[in-house]
Amino acid sequence: MIPENKWTRITTAESVPLREGRAVRLGGVEIAIFNLGDRVLAIENRCPHQGGPLCDGIVSGTTVVCPLHGWRFDLESGAAVRSSLPACVTVFPARVEDGIISVNIAGGSRIEMEDAA
Amino acid sequence: MQRLVVVGNGMAGMACVEQILKHAPKFEITIFGNETHTNYNRILLSAVLAGEKSLDDVTLHPIDWYREKGIALRLGVGIVDVDACAKTVTGDDGSVTGFDKLLLATGSSPVIPQIAGVNNDGVFTFRNMEDARALLERSRPGIKAVVIGGGLLGLEAARGLQVQGCDVTVVHLMDTLMERQLDTAGGTYLIRKMERLGMRVLLHRRTRTILGEGRVEGVEFDDGDRIPADLVVIAAGIRPNAELGRRAGLTVNRGIVVNDYMETSHPDVFAVGECVEHRHVCYGLVAPLFEQGKVLAATITGNRGPVYEGTVEAAKLKIMGVDVFSAGDFREASPDDGIEAEAVRYEDSALEIYKKVVLAGGKLRGVILVGDTSDSHRYMDWLRNGVDVTRKRRRLLFPEPVEDAGFDVAQMSDSETICGCLGVSKGDIIQAIHTRGVNTMAQLKESTRASTGCGSCTNLCEQLLRAVAPEFQEETKTTLCACFPFSYEQLREILLSQKLKSVQEVLNVYGNRKGCEVCKPALSYMLDMVWCGEHEEDRSARFINDRVHANIQRDGTFSVVPRIRGGVTSPDELRRIADVAEKYSVRMVKITGSQRIDLLGVKKSDLPKIWADLGMPSGQAYTKGVRMVKTCVGTEFCRFGVQDSVGAGIELERRLENLYTPHKVKMGAVGCPRNCAEATVKDIGLVGQEGSWQVVVGGAAGKNVRKADLLITVETTEAAIEAAELFFQYYRENANYLERTYDFVERMGIEKVRKETVYATQPERLKLLDRLQRSKALAKDAWLERETPVHPTQFIQIEPMENVFA
């Protein structure tokens, strides 16, 4: 379990429309928060390819497609999907409680690159 | 010549008559039908209600056919009595007709439960063309419809009513929908699909009363619960119409009893179809009719020999996007016959696919397919022919790996039925290919009617054509992406006929529910186009450019291009643009190739403010839509100009701006053939010449360079603009998403484009223009969303409620 004090309250759940993402800057990191209807997921808002804003991508199931060149990332693991090169973004624990979206910025994790391919 | 009287002008009677006509000796045939329509395809009535076919489409035998065959047809006459000794039938018009042979093909009637209120106005059955017509008349948006009966017909009726706009509830007596065809698991998947289509399903409910004094107001259940209803459809099963058999003194149980030669207990009276009982079974589906008809035709013409040994019952739900197939006996262990059956299952809850086959003694006994019915013919073959599947045990639920594309059809015998709806066998199709020069699916449908029923045999027909037809032509079918199995054309048809208005709805019912970056924007476009702007806009399905109405750049900033119609601006506009560029520290101000000004490097959050400060409409430079009309100076200043290209260009841009298209549309208008604004390499170009305009389309000067084709030459500017509008709307409606006009024109051929736009009949042209006007009436400058954003955070970066490092 993540200690309570590690969660940062971000915004109301309504601020992120269904199947869209929104960016928020937390400390030195920009995070993209996605609303998948039954839950919210948060990833680093920067495509490892050329820095595209992933929050602006089209959501397809539990993946998001970068608006610049179409790289696709799994929102749960952060791994690039169907990419020719192994790549990933950091994922952050996110939750909705009492209508407020919180993110655990310290709990960010990246998968091992071997798995990403 | 012997006299044959046929009672019943439905599918069974007529299928049999068709067979009889193939035999000698000939009869003098009289057919009585109590409906007023010639023989039609009853199983397509669901498709009529669901808007997929019109009432005219379902006719099987037009009146001329009867005439050609020398058949006396008596429509609207019901037969009320049969005297088997005197060999006469009596009509409800008092007529008495003598016969040598009598064929009863009286079909079946809906079972009406004995409950109060069934005679109320607004209570219908769904059995014949009159019912379909009445339901079409009564159903409309806002009407609350209750369908009593969750079997095949009830569900199809429910979907039809829903497509007509009704708010639909299905009430079913049992715990499982289609319980005669599905087990509990299959039924659960089916409910999910029905609910996702937007219908309510109530199981285990017995209707006690239909409420209302004279007119339906609702239904009440056994437990006292009530639900309101303006319309009630009873689909609680059917009962054989065996009364005439009884009157004729034949042996009758539930239906008129026939033996394997299709003989009744009287040597000169025969019966076929849903009114008969064969080996204790009364059939309610279409396939047995054809098999029975063939045998009966042999018997009645004195060629007694072929026998009918019963039909493996198979049912397919005909609701677009809800694939359900069931055949045989799917019970896993049946104590009745002591056979221990084994079930093999496959289930994918995410894709909502459920398959189950039941085996007994190494043979297939029954099958249920939900969500993927593509293999149904294979199982039917195993069932019909009692194939030993022991050696196939490991791949029962998946097609055998076939490298040979013609293998499937090569495995079938000539007599095997390919189209169960219309009773067309493999041999029939091969014969049509050889004797009637059939090479395409369209010709095959025309020639044999195969696959024109439920359409589930389309794949097989195609395979057969590919294997047999000497000049087989593949019908071009481009699917959008892996999320849908449909072509663009099919999707457009589905959106229209199924009245789908939102992307997610389409994905949920016809796709994989997820969608992707390819199909979501495409569907968004199609819905907007098909409904002329009256769709449900879903911004999550749009590319970022269409969420914020600006073009995303490589660093995540955006570019802003205001509309400057015809490339004509003013000092005041230029001043405002300059002010905006300074105020927001725009990194680059660029004159574009489209005679416009691009402000580059703008932050998303500044977009609404910039638009407000500019006070100019969106130039749609970020979207698949109307870009600009580039113009030359024209007559006002140019020494050589012969047409007012500036005026025409600005007017054309005004008429089409704010509309969306399959791909970007760039236009040009030039005042003389010197073509200074390069109109001949634009999607649509107006080229002025002395006394007239040439309207050209399909030009390109991008990745491809292509000189535009001449669409038409007209004398007035208004006529030129109208020709451009016709082409514009035609392109909107018929191009695939992301297909530029230059590819579109080449694919269609300019002759066809002309024929269907500028050379189309006046009503057709007016229809195109009307749809364009309807779209235009709802089209708005997207930049007005600066004042009324579709979502409060449409343009902003979210500020966290608490600082992480505080």
Side-chain angles (χ1 to χ4, degrees), chain A residues 9 15 22 56 59-60 72, chain B residues 515 517 520 604 793 802:
Chain A
R9 286 151 56 84
S15 301
R22 288 291 182 265
D56 287 339
V59 170
S60 165
R72 181 191 292 264
Chain B
E517 75 279 15
K520 283 185 168 187
K604 193 201 278 180
T793 62
E802 53 185 359

Side-chain angles (χ1 to χ4, degrees), chain B residues 422-481:
Chain B
L422 280 306
V424 185
S425 70
K426 178 184 170 186
D428 294 338
I429 292 179
I430 292 179
Q431 199 189 359
I433 293 171
H434 288 154
T435 60
R436 281 173 262 171
V438 167
N439 278 313
T440 66
M441 268 308 280
Q443 291 165 344
L444 184 68
K445 285 180 186 173
E446 175 86 26
S447 161
T448 64
R449 295 216 190 96
S451 90
T452 58
C454 70
S456 61
C457 63
T458 307
N459 263 339
L460 269 182
C461 290
E462 260 172 22
Q463 280 184 33
L464 193 53
L465 267 174
R466 195 175 293 121
V468 181
E471 287 163 51
F472 172 70
Q473 287 156 22
E474 193 93 41
E475 256 150 67
T476 49
K477 176 178 167 178
T478 325
T479 54
L480 265 178
C481 60

Side-chain angles (χ1 to χ4, degrees), chain B residues 37 39-40 48 53-60 129 133:
Chain B
H37 200 282
N39 180 35
Y40 58 90
V48 170
K53 305 235 169 182
S54 75
L55 277 169
D56 295 337
D57 289 342
V58 303
T59 302
L60 283 173
M129 202 171 248
R133 202 170 274 146

